[in-house]
Amino acid sequence: MKTAIVGGGASGFFLAVNLKEMMPQMEVSIIERSHRVLAKVEVSGGGRCNCTNSFAGVTDLSKVYPRGHRLMKRLFKQFGPRDAYQWFERHGVRLTTQADQCVFPASQDSHAIINCFLNEAHRHHINICAGVRVGTIADLLHDYDYVCVCTGGQPRMAGLQWLSDVGHEIVQPVPSLFTLSIADKALCGLMGTVVENVNIGIAGTKMRAEGSLLITHWGVSGPAVLRLSSYAARYLSENAYQVPLTVNWTGLRESEVFRLLQNIADQHPMKQLSSVRPCDLPARLWEYLLKKTLGERSQSRWHGVNYKELNRLTNALVNDICHTSGRATFRDEFVTCGGVSLSSVNPSTLESRFVPHLFFSGEVLDIDGVTGGFNFQAAWTTAFVVASAIAHQ
């Protein structure tokens, strides 16, 4: 019995190792188009590899999986986050859970995961064929008993055409998890500024995200922006990545911020506006907001601020507007929204509904998550499900 795994990434290796553990007699080959395997794992998480999440506090999977949450809920019953944590520790990778519930190798080095996979592949005599292009599905199934497609996200429809040709519905791929360019040069001049507990959204929609925000020389980045880009991936693509962002720099309600500003004015009447920062905002950001809102009056003292100006400052703090001018020009997208439609696969086994003995796992499916280890967890879960399905056929 022979199985071909197309794609030498996270999901492909996890599938291969688990399949050999379940069926030692199975001959397993990983076929990777590029000359390097696990390249994406190596650079993930800044080289630290945020390999999963504790999911503590996640009460609604749709909040972390904008696409595919219903299927993930079902598949977690077979192999969930706790199973993944135990799997890696059982295979020699000690893990640690951060305060934000992101899980990393204790070594803080992605090579802990890579070395684990390569060592297990060697131990189980898994064939690794790098720099090899595959033919058609028919050719693969002629040479192998089972074929598993684990090619990851494809940025263009052309990369999925070979799967469409045999009947699978393909959901138009668009980038997810990316940073945004901002046209406001004054804001970009604050590059390096990090603001915690920001609430960011797209004006006129219900799409919002929370977390820290990093101002860069091209625009905005950080967990809040990455999460928003995931929730709004299709909307942003349809609008050419040019939308008005609403930013609550404080994470507080409007009434709370107004009272806070009133208290500052009462307690520090003779101090300049810039010298007392609400919510411990970074100094440069507070000065930017003051100048943007009050112009020349930004140099005033607190006792000179009238009721109307307090309202304007409140609005700037909780409902600031930034206009995006596109996605960042850097190729920093690591996740693609779209891929093989979930209606094209059996939800219990991830086997193709059109081609027997053809399976899918990982990001090639129309499943993607927000930042925080959720995409790797989807890779482990779907790979394990496919390995189990083949082993029990």
Side-chain angles (χ1 to χ4, degrees), residues 223-240:
V225 175
L226 293 174
R227 289 183 189 124
L228 181 65
S229 76
S230 180
Y231 300 146
R234 294 208 173 279
Y235 183 88
L236 287 165
S237 176
E238 291 164 1
N239 286 274

Side-chain angles (χ1 to χ4, degrees), residues 50-264:
N50 181 188
C51 57
T52 186
N53 192 284
S54 75
F55 283 70
V58 178
T59 57
D60 182 353
L61 285 183
S62 68
K63 300 297 183 183
V64 295
Y65 289 108
R67 269 75 50 183
H69 64 277
R70 292 185 180 86
L71 179 61
M72 291 306 300
K73 183 177 181 179
R74 176 177 188 151
L75 299 184
F76 275 178
K77 295 174 183 176
Q78 292 190 55
F79 191 87
R82 185 185 295 272
D83 300 308
Y85 193 106
Q86 294 173 347
W87 190 96
F88 281 106
E89 293 229 316
R90 193 167 64 249
H91 289 77
V93 181
R94 194 163 61 88
L95 301 177
T96 183
T97 304
Q98 297 185 163
D100 61 2
Q101 306 308 314
C102 293
V103 177
F104 289 85
S107 64
Q108 301 293 306
D109 187 348
S110 61
H111 289 92
I113 303 291
I114 293 171
N115 292 338
C116 169
F117 285 153
L118 293 178
N119 290 338
E120 290 298 314
H122 177 73
R123 187 167 71 88
H124 288 295
H125 305 290
I126 294 169
N127 304 314
I128 300 176
C129 309
V132 176
R133 288 182 174 271
V134 301
T136 65
I137 294 294
D139 291 338
L140 285 168
L141 285 171
H142 179 268
D143 296 329
Y144 295 90
D145 299 286
Y146 301 96
V147 173
C148 309
V149 178
C150 312
T151 49
Q154 300 296 314
R156 291 176 292 276
M157 283 290 287
L160 297 163
Q161 188 61 47
W162 67 303
L163 301 175
S164 175
D165 288 344
V166 290
H168 302 98
E169 179 187 353
I170 304 298
V171 180
Q172 175 70 44
V174 298
S176 181
L177 291 186
F178 49 83
T179 61
L180 291 165
S181 299
I182 300 292
D184 186 347
K185 293 183 179 179
L187 179 65
C188 295
L190 308 180
M191 58 184 177
T193 299
V194 177
V195 192
E196 303 292 343
N197 302 316
V198 169
N199 189 307
I200 187 170
I202 299 177
T205 76
K206 295 182 179 180
M207 299 172 189
R208 304 201 66 81
E210 298 177 352
S212 59
L213 181 147
L214 169 66
I215 300 173
T216 68
H217 67 275
W218 67 82
V220 288
S221 182
V225 175
L226 293 174
R227 289 183 189 124
L228 181 65
S229 76
S230 180
Y231 300 146
R234 294 208 173 279
Y235 183 88
L236 287 165
S237 176
E238 291 164 1
N239 286 274
Y241 304 98
Q242 298 185 32
V243 297
L245 294 182
T246 61
V247 185
N248 182 334
W249 296 104
T250 69
L252 301 175
R253 294 192 295 270
E254 185 173 341
S255 59
E256 294 174 317
V257 172
F258 185 80
R259 284 196 301 272
L260 177 61
L261 294 179
Q262 280 185 316
N263 289 337
I264 292 174

